[in-house]
Amino acid sequence: MNEFMKVAIEEARRGMTSMHGGPFGAVIVKNGKIVGRGHNKVVLWNNPTLHGEMVAIGHAGRTIDSFDLSGCDIYTTGEPCAMCLCALMWANIKTIYYGCTKKDADSIGFRDELFDNMLSLDRSGIDMVQVDHKACRELFDDYAKLKGKTAY
């Protein structure tokens, strides 16, 4: 398993077991070093924008003291939703490593694919690479067993 995806999964599990939100964890890496991390905090803060990627972007910006995350990559347990994808583009992150697909997220009760189908996002200039699907799918399946204990 990729070492950075392993940390993203650990981050997601921390959020799930704390009842902060869904099985979404992310780490942002620059020059082989983690500069940002986050997990879904939608339920914790009653804020639908606090997806794992969004929390990681904020953390990375504070770590490197810049809103421009050029040269960074992100590892995230789920394929970014439209909101997160746009935020990653604004942050100048060009490579996105993700575990589960939007279809996987939909299969456990999320609506990522619905919103993606509503929008037409140009993904040119973004390198989307699926890695460690099996490990991330196990995470999603564990979340599905908790259904009803967290809303998002």
Side-chain angles (χ1 to χ4, degrees):
M1 177 185 308
N2 178 284
E3 68 178 291
F4 298 122
M5 185 60 81
K6 182 177 179 183
V7 176
I9 290 170
E10 290 168 359
E11 188 69 33
R13 285 200 184 280
R14 183 176 7 263
M16 284 170 44
T17 59
S18 300
M19 303 298 189
H20 292 172
F24 305 102
V27 295
I28 296 177
V29 177
K30 186 168 189 171
N31 299 324
K33 180 181 174 190
I34 295 174
V35 296
R37 60 177 63 220
H39 62 263
N40 186 297
K41 294 185 177 181
V42 168
V43 173
L44 176 66
W45 293 104
N46 291 314
N47 183 333
T49 67
L50 292 180
H51 293 192
E53 297 94 335
M54 302 295 272
V55 174
I57 288 168
H59 183 222
R62 290 186 304 277
T63 298
I64 67 171
D65 197 27
S66 178
F67 59 86
D68 183 357
L69 302 181
S70 294
C72 293
D73 298 327
I74 189 167
Y75 292 79
T76 181
T77 57
E79 184 179 359
C81 70
M83 174 184 68
C84 292
L85 181 61
C86 288
L88 292 165
M89 293 166 77
W90 273 108
N92 294 312
I93 293 177
K94 304 291 185 205
T95 304
I96 299 169
Y97 297 94
Y98 67 96
C100 285
T101 65
K102 290 177 184 138
K103 285 187 189 304
D104 291 321
D106 286 2
S107 76
I108 61 168
F110 292 89
R111 304 171 290 165
D112 294 43
E113 198 166 38
L114 169 71
F115 294 117
D116 197 51
N117 290 336
M118 292 170 63
L119 304 169
S120 178
L121 296 175
D122 180 2
R123 289 171 173 80
S124 60
I126 301 293
D127 192 14
M128 304 280 293
V129 182
Q130 188 176 27
V131 297
D132 297 317
H133 178 260
K134 182 180 177 192
C136 290
R137 185 61 217 210
E138 288 173 10
L139 171 76
F140 276 35
D141 291 341
D142 288 346
Y143 172 81
K145 293 173 190 168
L146 296 172
K147 195 163 179 115
K149 294 185 180 179
T150 58
Y152 291 94

